[in-house]
Each structure stands twice: as structure tokens, then as C-alpha cells.
Amino acid sequence: MEFDFDTHSATVLLELGSTSVYAIDYDYQNRYIYFPRYSYHDIVRFAYPSNNTTLQTVVQSLSYPTGIAVDSANDHLYWIDYYGGQLSRCNLDGSNVTVLSTFIYPWVIRLDVTNRWMYIVEQCTGILKSRFDLSDRRTITNFTSTPVYCMDIDSEENRLYWINYDGEMKSCKDDGSDVKTILPTNIRRNYFAISVVGSYIYYENGNQLLMVNKSSGSTPTVLYNASSSIHSIFVFNQSGMLINIYSQK
């Protein structure tokens, strides 16, 4: 789905069938949206903005892909294969597939392309930080008994944001220090989607798309009520549109 901030209208871009999509990323250089199809065991892309949304298969024969991240500057796509516990990389056209490392129940990957850091969420363990060549790998924050399935980087303030199973939206500096709670949703469930752009955090709460200021104590605003659960969010920052992909009921 595509949600337009100006008109508050939602448009269907693609019908995905019986699969969930837990991540979306964009190649601003070549103008493609990338996403993994969890139950179809592949990663696909389509041109955007474009009137032609024909899917191109980038990588296939995966187990259950969840997180992806695009590094346009180096022509690389990174992804998490959940059941294999693997982090892999290929060229943006799907060539030169390489398994880089293994992790314990990884789910999310985010890249700080400017400073050349990658961040990986191990859902029940914590957030790991590593150089792109897998050197200087370390855990910067630990989870206790509350799994995490979503995380994003605030590149302007060099902070990370995530929501745990207890419904606590938390933040820390990119070295793991200064951990604080931004917002308690007071609803215990798995949260799959969060995106931080400018002064705002966009996140899902079941079938709701919400927006809240990064300042602690702010009140969330409901932007859109979907007909099914929202599992991923990407903010397209060149035209002010919010792109959402929802799982099937």
C-alpha cells in the first residue's frame, strides 16, 4: 500500500498473496523498492515511482527472509534469513550471493551507510553493531525477556529506536548508551514495523499506522486504519509519501 500524507489516501500498489513482508527498503540510485516475501522464500523488487509494478525476482530458494537493507553506494543488498540464522549479501541485481555470518535468531538489519556500520537485531538477545566487513562486532544493548522484531536508525541524531513485546518504544545512542523509553503503548504483542524520519516516529499497532514525535511524552496520531495487520513501513522521503506493505488477513 501507498499512503499519501497530503491527501491521507491509501492506494494498493501490489497484491502479494498469502505471504508476510517484514521489511522494505529503497534503492534511491536506481529507483527500486526491495522486499522479502517470507512464505515465498525470495526477495523481489519493482521500479518506483513507475506505472509498471512488475515484480523482478532478485534472490530465491531462501528459508524465511525477514530483514533487508540496501547499500546503493556499493551496489549491495543485505538480508536476514531467519531460520538459517544467516546474514547474506549480493549485488543489487541478485548476482554474487555470499553468506557473511550467522547469528542467534536474527530478524532486523539496518545500515548506517555514511559511517559504515550495520546493526542487527537478534530478537531475544539484543542489538549487535558491526563494520560492513564484520569486524569490530559487538552487542550494544541487551533485551531481557521481551523479544524485539523492529528497529530503525535515526541518522540525524545517531540513535536507534525499537519496540519490544511489552509495548515499550525505546531509544539509545548508536553506541548503546543513554537508553530511554519514548512511549509505552501499554499493549503486549509483537511489533513488526517502525521508521524514524525527521522529528517523527512511524510505527504499527496491529492494523493501525501511527505517528509520534520523538520527544518523550508525546501523544501518537493515528494516520491510517488498515484492513489487516501492518508488518512493515518505509518512508519515501523524496515526495512525502509513506509506503506500507500489509500481510494478508
Side-chain angles (χ1 to χ4, degrees):
M1 304 285 290
E2 175 185 271
F3 177 82
D4 190 312
F5 278 103
D6 294 328
T7 64
H8 278 216
S9 62
T11 305
V12 175
L13 295 180
L14 287 167
E15 295 286 354
L16 298 179
S18 56
T19 186
S20 294
V21 171
Y22 293 110
I24 314 169
D25 207 355
Y26 189 67
D27 174 8
Y28 281 95
Q29 184 170 306
N30 300 295
R31 298 161 64 93
Y32 280 99
I33 290 176
Y34 286 79
F35 59 92
R37 298 190 294 183
Y38 186 77
S39 302
Y40 294 168
H41 315 292
D42 62 9
I43 298 173
V44 293
R45 70 179 184 181
F46 66 93
Y48 182 88
S50 173
N51 292 324
N52 182 6
T53 56
T54 302
L55 285 181
Q56 302 174 16
T57 301
V58 180
V59 186
Q60 55 188 348
S61 300
L62 303 176
S63 63
Y64 290 93
T66 54
I68 62 168
V70 171
D71 177 9
S72 297
N74 293 282
D75 189 40
H76 283 154
L77 173 69
Y78 294 80
W79 73 90
I80 296 291
D81 214 348
Y82 174 65
Y83 274 99
Q86 292 180 336
L87 169 67
S88 300
R89 184 186 70 200
C90 68
N91 295 336
L92 290 174
D93 62 1
S95 61
N96 195 26
V97 173
T98 305
V99 176
L100 299 177
S101 187
T102 57
F103 295 86
I104 303 171
Y105 300 121
W107 192 269
V108 180
I109 178 169
R110 290 287 187 268
L111 302 180
D112 176 356
V113 176
T114 302
N115 297 303
R116 309 304 294 168
W117 288 105
M118 69 170 65
Y119 298 84
I120 293 173
V121 172
E122 291 185 322
Q123 64 182 53
C124 296
T125 306
I127 301 175
L128 292 88
K129 179 178 181 178
S130 170
R131 289 296 183 186
F132 279 33
D133 62 1
L134 277 300
S135 66
D136 197 9
R137 176 170 159 175
R138 65 191 109 142
T139 299
I140 60 171
T141 187
N142 292 294
F143 306 142
T144 53
S145 59
T146 53
V148 172
Y149 293 90
C150 66
M151 182 269 292
D152 199 19
I153 304 171
D154 177 4
S155 56
E156 293 182 4
E157 297 185 2
N158 299 315
R159 296 189 66 90
L160 309 180
Y161 290 81
W162 68 93
I163 309 174
N164 62 26
Y165 181 83
D166 287 338
E168 298 171 326
M169 182 184 292
K170 291 182 169 290
S171 174
C172 72
K173 292 183 179 178
D174 59 8
D175 62 0
S177 63
D178 190 31
V179 178
K180 54 181 155 183
T181 299
I182 303 298
L183 175 74
T185 67
N186 299 315
I187 301 174
R188 299 184 79 238
R189 54 177 295 273
N190 292 328
Y191 293 82
F192 290 107
I194 187 170
S195 184
V196 184
V197 178
S199 300
Y200 294 97
I201 304 164
Y202 304 89
Y203 67 102
E204 60 83 13
N205 190 348
N207 68 330
Q208 288 188 323
L209 173 66
L210 299 101
M211 175 181 72
V212 67
N213 194 283
K214 290 189 296 189
S215 302
S216 298
S218 299
T219 301
T221 299
V222 176
L223 296 175
Y224 183 70
N225 288 290
S227 60
S228 57
S229 297
I230 300 172
H231 282 173
S232 53
I233 296 171
F234 177 78
V235 178
F236 185 66
N237 64 20
Q238 287 186 339
S239 63
M241 288 182 291
L242 187 65
I243 299 168
N244 311 277
I245 290 186
Y246 310 140
S247 69
Q248 189 181 44
K249 285 185 178 179

